Amino acid sequence: MKKRKAVLAVLLTAGMLTGCLGNGGSSTLNSESSRIFVTQEGTLQTATVESYAQQDYYNGDELKSFLEDAVSQYNGANGQNQVTLDSCTLDKGTAKMVFHYASAEALIGFTTQYEDKANLVESIEVNKLSEVYSQSQSEKVTFIKASDGKKADEKAVSKKGASQAVVVTSANPVTIQTQGKILLVSDNVVIKDSHTVQTTKGKSYIIFK
């Protein structure tokens, strides 16, 4: 039992799979690969996906119990319902875990404490573009149009003020999926599909409907 629990712990602390990203994109969370999902209301989820070779060591009930205990301990120390385990599955050598967060601080705190390396960020903020536009200007951010990959002029960007903006800082690449279609990204972001991007080291901006 101790050996199994030790291996279960590795699932959350090991590097997670990036996996394959879809071509068209989706407005619902794609849990086929690790990512942060941002809804149009600004709520946050993470999908953590990991492969395992030694299938005999893994048991779905034990994994769920382990993760629920991790969530309970985090909430006990940081406030109730900060983190919720939405789902947990083991199937054909792949473990998939989906968590929901009450705030950006909860996401950062939980992924940091349990070393979810695929979704580990230093900061993440969801606001209207109008709220962060002056900040992006002072940082001399260059925005790229998701529709054609070309540079967006300042006038075109300012007209998107009512759109949602995700501002994320990370030390390593992170996959982010948005519920609404992506409109603009800072020029250090790689567009994977109409709802999905991969950030690079440093601060990134993702603007979506």
Side-chain angles (χ1 to χ4, degrees):
M1 180 65 73
K2 287 183 179 180
K3 188 173 184 180
R4 284 189 177 185
K5 288 190 175 181
V7 176
L8 289 174
V10 171
L11 274 174
L12 207 55
T13 59
M16 302 302 168
L17 295 178
T18 300
C20 298
L21 300 174
N23 293 324
S26 172
S27 61
T28 58
L29 173 61
N30 177 357
S31 59
E32 296 304 307
S33 62
S34 298
R35 64 193 53 218
I36 296 172
F37 181 66
V38 186
T39 71
Q40 290 169 315
E41 292 73 33
T43 59
L44 300 165
Q45 288 178 284
T46 57
T48 303
V49 183
E50 172 66 23
S51 63
Y52 57 91
Q54 302 179 63
Q55 189 166 350
D56 289 344
Y57 285 153
Y58 294 88
N59 176 281
D61 290 337
E62 287 186 1
L63 177 58
K64 183 179 180 182
S65 178
F66 168 78
L67 296 175
E68 287 177 339
D69 184 59
V71 167
S72 179
Q73 288 187 36
Y74 183 85
N75 288 337
N78 297 278
Q80 291 303 307
N81 301 318
Q82 293 300 301
V83 181
T84 305
L85 175 65
D86 285 347
S87 64
C88 168
T89 62
L90 290 176
D91 184 45
K92 298 178 182 178
T94 301
K96 299 178 182 179
M97 297 149 275
V98 176
F99 298 91
H100 179 273
Y101 304 90
S103 65
E105 291 75 19
L107 184 153
I108 294 167
F110 188 75
T111 55
T112 298
Q113 185 169 335
Y114 292 98
E115 299 181 27
D116 181 354
K117 296 178 182 178
N119 298 313
L120 195 61
V121 296
E122 295 172 12
S123 66
I124 184 167
E125 174 187 3
V126 185
N127 260 317
K128 295 295 184 184
L129 174 58
S130 58
E131 297 294 320
V132 299
Y133 181 61
S134 60
Q135 172 184 311
S136 69
Q137 282 190 307
S138 66
E139 294 170 351
K140 301 187 184 303
V141 174
T142 298
F143 283 100
I144 303 298
K145 292 183 287 183
S147 58
D148 57 16
K150 295 180 180 179
K151 180 180 176 181
D153 60 50
E154 289 187 11
K155 186 177 181 181
V157 175
S158 64
K159 287 183 177 180
K160 303 294 185 183
S163 301
Q164 292 284 59
V166 183
V167 184
V168 57
T169 304
S170 60
N172 298 295
V174 175
T175 297
I176 294 179
Q177 180 188 353
T178 59
Q179 184 178 25
K181 284 190 176 181
I182 295 169
L183 302 172
L184 304 162
V185 297
S186 51
D187 62 359
N188 60 336
V189 170
V190 178
I191 298 173
K192 295 293 186 178
D193 60 45
S194 60
H195 292 265
T196 312
V197 301
Q198 188 173 55
T199 69
T200 54
K201 181 179 180 179
K203 182 181 284 188
S204 302
Y205 287 77
I206 303 103
I207 314 304
F208 67 98
K209 289 184 179 180

